Amino acid sequence: MRVPAKSLLSFLIITFMLSTYSEAYLPERRRDQFKGTPGYYIAPIPYRLTGIGEGLILLGAALNIMDTNTDAYGFAFTGDLEGFGGGVLDIHLIPETLILDATTERINRATLTSYTKRGMDTDKNDYTLIELGDIEFNLARLTATFLDRRFEIYGMGYEVSSALKNIREPDGAIIVDVQDPKRETGQNTSIGTRLDLTDDYQDPRKGLRLDISSAWSPPKSSSSPDYYIMDYNATAFIPLGKRSTWAFNYFRSDAYVMRTGETDRTKIDEELGLDCGTIVDPVDQKRCNQFIDNTIAANTYGTVGSLGGTSRLRSYSHDRYSGAHSLFYGTEFRWNITEESAPFNIIIMKDVRTALQLACFYETGSIVDKLEELGGIMRSSYGAGFRIVTASGLVFRADVANGNEGVETTMIIGYPWEIF
């Protein structure tokens, strides 16, 4: 992996900050950061992700197995997503110091939403549906953690492969049915560091958390761009009363292109197997050409993580806005209704509830291809949510968010705004 100078400089700065930061100024940890309570879950879980689809997830998970920190899980998708997967998390190669996570997924079919152009200036209904098939995803992550999880260095790599099957209208009518679809495989390698000056790694109430990471994907072919991404994610937690907190998040992501990819329309059309020129209907031909336009933009500017979905700009659909540079601000008030430990065992799940939480939030963000345009158009979300925090280490989250494109509902595990 090519490690840019900025990444090394960021790592050195954070290491210096940690070494000079007196223990007296660090919030004390509220509990042991490694000892989780054993638990398990076996349940069907409905999902609905705008831009992806809806259906049912059949989930099985065993947490903190045999009084260790290791979790294992498996799942199967039915509905608009079809496939299965599983993984093992928190394998301590060196106890409380070196941790391995691994996961794998196989998805037979997935339909994604592709908007007609990148950036923020698109209409809610101006999109096509992209069906992918034969999707395989494999990920491994290695984390070195020190000082009671206050400082971490991690490396992560994943490989994903898929084949473009067709492009369809929003109503499902086929625009292009790809003949002899080519299977493409992409890889991504990233390194990062986390400074966690909070009172708890899982459920922070006060302090500061900073993540900086750099990711690089080798070009899939000679026509693919060569670029790397820098991510900066900072969250401050301000305590309100004895058990509530007000969180403030700043996120920035930028793609740096070292070599542009193919920008010739004819060659891209041929490589993707689209044959846009043979489409008779002018509207369908325009939509096909817009897909090529997005490919040209991606090959020219690179692509960072999108805005919209379950973590940032929650009132917008998954991958609603894409581009090469993104900026995001978020704030969330978290009111802990109760902190009493309440064990539950209802045959299909066993755990200990440690907190019930209500939240209200506001978010705003921008994403563009040209850096000088960043922040020119901002989109916002606001809403409320409910969370259940458990002793095993899970946070069950349900959010309802509103924005200028309507209301979206999220049901997922984990707090928003985390890089991973």
Side-chain angles (χ1 to χ4, degrees), residues 190-267:
S190 64
I191 60 171
T193 185
R194 166 176 283 190
L195 185 65
D196 190 85
L197 306 179
T198 71
D199 60 341
D200 188 63
Y201 192 91
Q202 176 202 6
D203 181 27
R205 306 281 177 82
K206 61 180 177 180
L208 175 69
R209 177 176 292 167
L210 175 65
D211 288 277
I212 298 178
S213 65
S214 177
W216 178 67
S217 297
K220 298 177 183 178
S221 66
S222 59
S223 62
S224 300
D226 189 1
Y227 65 97
Y228 66 89
I229 296 171
M230 290 296 302
D231 286 343
Y232 305 86
N233 191 45
T235 307
F237 303 92
I238 300 175
L240 296 175
K242 293 183 178 180
R243 58 191 186 192
S244 298
T245 189
W246 196 352
F248 296 85
N249 178 255
Y250 166 83
F251 177 75
R252 178 69 184 268
S253 184
D254 295 284
Y256 298 90
V257 178
M258 295 175 286
R259 177 181 61 80
T260 58
E262 183 60 69
T263 57
D264 184 274
R265 302 186 61 85
T266 303
K267 291 182 179 179

Side-chain angles (χ1 to χ4, degrees), residues 49-66:
L49 298 172
T50 302
I52 294 181
E54 58 186 42
L56 200 66
I57 303 175
L58 305 177
L59 173 68
L63 310 174
N64 301 304
I65 301 170
M66 299 177 64

Side-chain angles (χ1 to χ4, degrees), residues 152-163:
E152 294 184 338
I153 306 170
Y154 59 86
M156 181 172 63
Y158 69 79
E159 181 178 272
V160 59
S161 59
S162 64

Side-chain angles (χ1 to χ4, degrees), residues 377-397:
I377 300 177
M378 303 287 286
R379 297 284 185 256
S380 301
S381 292
Y382 62 92
F386 177 73
R387 291 82 191 270
I388 301 175
V389 183
T390 70
S392 67
L394 298 182
V395 177
F396 295 93
R397 172 165 61 96

Side-chain angles (χ1 to χ4, degrees), residues 120 249-251 307 311-316 326-331 361-367 375 377-382 417:
M120 308 296 289
N249 178 255
Y250 166 83
F251 177 75
L307 293 180
S311 187
R312 294 184 173 89
L313 292 188
R314 282 167 270 179
S315 71
Y316 296 89
S326 70
L327 175 67
F328 173 88
Y329 302 97
T331 184
F361 57 86
Y362 176 82
E363 305 169 323
T364 185
S366 176
I367 190 166
I377 300 177
M378 303 287 286
R379 297 284 185 256
S380 301
S381 292
Y382 62 92
W417 306 340

Side-chain angles (χ1 to χ4, degrees), residues 8-72:
L8 290 175
L9 180 60
S10 300
F11 170 75
L12 292 174
I13 290 174
I14 288 179
T15 303
F16 176 77
M17 289 172 58
L18 183 66
S19 64
T20 58
Y21 204 97
S22 170
E23 280 286 335
Y25 296 99
L26 294 178
E28 291 185 7
R29 295 296 203 186
R30 300 199 313 269
R31 54 188 168 187
D32 194 315
Q33 300 299 290
F34 290 100
K35 301 302 181 184
T37 300
Y40 65 82
Y41 293 84
I42 304 172
I45 302 173
Y47 69 87
R48 181 182 177 274
L49 298 172
T50 302
I52 294 181
E54 58 186 42
L56 200 66
I57 303 175
L58 305 177
L59 173 68
L63 310 174
N64 301 304
I65 301 170
M66 299 177 64
D67 293 323
T68 70
N69 295 279
T70 301
D71 307 327

